[in-house]
Amino acid sequence: MLCKATVLCTIFTIVDDAMKASPQIQRALDRPGPQPQLSDSEVVTIALYQELIGEPREDHFFRLHQASLLPFFPHLNERSRYNRRKRDLWAVILAVRLCLQLVLDALEFEETGAVDSAPVPCVGRKRDKAHSDFLGFADYGVCSSKAMKYFGCKLHAVVSLTGVILGYLLTSAAPYDNQPLVELLDSMPHHVRNLLGDRAYNDEPLQAFLKQYRELTLLAPTKVNQPPKRTKQEQKFQNQLRLICETVNAQLQEQLHLSKHYAKSKLGLMTRVAAKVTAHSVGMVVNKLWGRPALRLADLAV
């Protein structure tokens, strides 16, 4: 287990180097007026650290950790000001993830990935939605694996076989899992040629389209009423490879609390999702730098 000082310093170094090395991020941060005492790199570092320690509520995070963070960030603002700055930087948080060498290498060299979706509830299913900021953005949906009906969104993600999140797409909960797949694949600069999905992606027209127009083979288990396309051993091997996506989804849900984001607006939700996905990739980089298993995130931050 790494100590807090080691984790915070490593995250800050990764974030600060990525932000300073990216001309796009520097242009986005170029704004008039004096520079804030708490730098943008420090805001992003604190946001990622909050996700890695598994604290979904920002008020709890500040109450429990503000005193211990002040020696590292002496200009840490009060919570509401910090929250506003973090939301303003949500796109920068995503850009930091795309600057990581770990992610760049995966996007360049990984040719096999796995795809799955995860539920992101936003408002209680029975609550009135008339005055919710999520009205028109989220929708009613069902998560069969969890036997859950909810009002919210879905996080569709493509994960490499090494556990790196290659790309993600946040949609309402209404579309079936395979419907946003083409948009998801077109939204990221990948070199994936084989994509493993569960039975929700068993769609012959979609598989034919991806094969013809994207040069990509979408592999999914056949349904009960369909003749098998692969032997039991081949299908078992594919299922084992696809477990990496289940592992990453479980980390996002159980460790980074994807379903317990406590966001009250669309911008707040996008910020929290961006921070969680980026924190997962940054956590893998920290682990690799310190000689730990890349996906061992449970005891990384204390």
Side-chain angles (χ1 to χ4, degrees):
M1 182 183 294
L2 302 177
C3 68
K4 175 181 283 190
T6 300
V7 174
L8 282 172
C9 290
T10 307
I11 294 174
F12 176 78
T13 302
I14 294 169
V15 169
D16 193 57
D17 287 350
M19 292 174 66
K20 288 179 178 177
S22 171
Q24 293 83 2
I25 293 178
Q26 290 302 306
R27 284 197 295 270
L29 297 178
D30 186 17
R31 48 188 182 264
Q35 293 297 315
Q37 290 183 310
L38 185 72
S39 69
D40 295 317
S41 300
E42 290 176 309
V43 173
V44 175
T45 299
I46 296 169
L48 299 182
Y49 180 74
Q50 177 188 346
E51 302 300 343
L52 283 172
I53 64 174
E55 181 52 74
R57 293 191 57 165
E58 202 169 86
D59 53 346
H60 289 180
F61 173 68
F62 260 67
R63 185 168 67 248
L64 297 174
H65 299 277
Q66 185 175 18
S68 63
L69 288 173
L70 282 174
F72 303 99
F73 308 101
H75 300 294
L76 181 60
N77 313 119
E78 47 88 21
R79 187 181 69 84
S80 61
R81 187 175 178 187
Y82 160 79
N83 181 266
R84 289 194 299 271
R85 289 195 59 196
K86 183 173 75 170
R87 283 181 292 167
D88 288 341
L89 291 170
W90 78 272
V92 171
I93 294 174
L94 279 182
V96 166
R97 191 186 77 85
L98 293 175
C99 291
L100 301 176
Q101 194 62 46
L102 178 83
V103 177
L104 292 174
D105 287 345
L107 289 170
E108 179 68 26
F109 299 112
E110 293 282 354
E111 294 188 351
T112 302
V115 61
D116 205 354
S117 68
V120 186
C122 294
V123 183
R125 181 177 173 83
K126 296 183 179 180
R127 286 186 58 184
D128 179 31
K129 315 297 189 301
H131 303 289
S132 169
D133 192 57
F134 296 107
L135 188 65
F137 177 73
D139 207 338
Y140 291 95
V142 177
C143 178
S144 302
S145 62
K146 298 180 181 294
M148 179 176 69
K149 297 180 179 180
Y150 67 101
F151 180 86
C153 299
K154 278 183 183 178
L155 181 76
H156 306 265
V158 176
V159 179
S160 75
L161 297 185
T162 55
V164 179
I165 300 175
L166 300 178
Y168 79 90
L169 184 67
L170 192 66
T171 69
S172 77
Y176 198 54
D177 285 2
N178 62 15
Q179 291 177 336
L181 181 57
V182 175
E183 183 181 356
L184 168 60
L185 292 170
D186 289 348
S187 68
M188 58 187 202
H190 63 92
H191 289 81
V192 174
R193 291 294 171 261
N194 298 288
L195 192 61
L196 309 175
D198 57 18
R199 282 190 172 87
Y201 298 90
N202 185 353
D203 183 328
E204 291 188 359
L206 175 62
Q207 291 169 324
F209 175 86
L210 291 174
K211 187 68 176 177
Q212 181 176 356
Y213 295 103
R214 299 295 187 273
E215 298 181 354
L216 185 148
T217 302
L218 176 60
L219 301 169
T222 54
K223 298 177 182 177
V224 178
N225 60 349
Q226 292 178 323
K229 296 180 179 179
R230 290 167 288 277
T231 65
K232 289 185 178 180
Q233 290 78 10
E234 289 173 337
Q235 188 58 60
K236 183 178 180 181
F237 179 65
Q238 287 185 16
N239 292 341
Q240 290 173 343
L241 292 178
R242 212 189 70 80
L243 282 178
I244 188 64
C245 198
E246 303 286 351
T247 300
V248 172
N249 267 348
Q251 289 179 326
L252 290 174
Q253 292 283 8
E254 305 300 329
Q255 259 179 262
L256 305 182
H257 299 289
L258 179 66
S259 294
K260 299 178 181 178
H261 48 80
Y262 292 97
K264 297 178 175 62
S265 65
K266 292 183 288 186
L267 181 57
L269 175 63
M270 291 189 293
T271 303
R272 292 307 299 268
V273 171
K276 293 176 192 299
V277 174
T278 303
H280 187 275
S281 298
V282 169
M284 291 181 67
V285 176
V286 174
N287 276 334
K288 293 190 72 173
L289 288 174
W290 290 101
R292 290 159 47 94
L295 287 174
R296 186 180 164 185
L297 303 180
D299 61 347
L300 174 59
V302 293

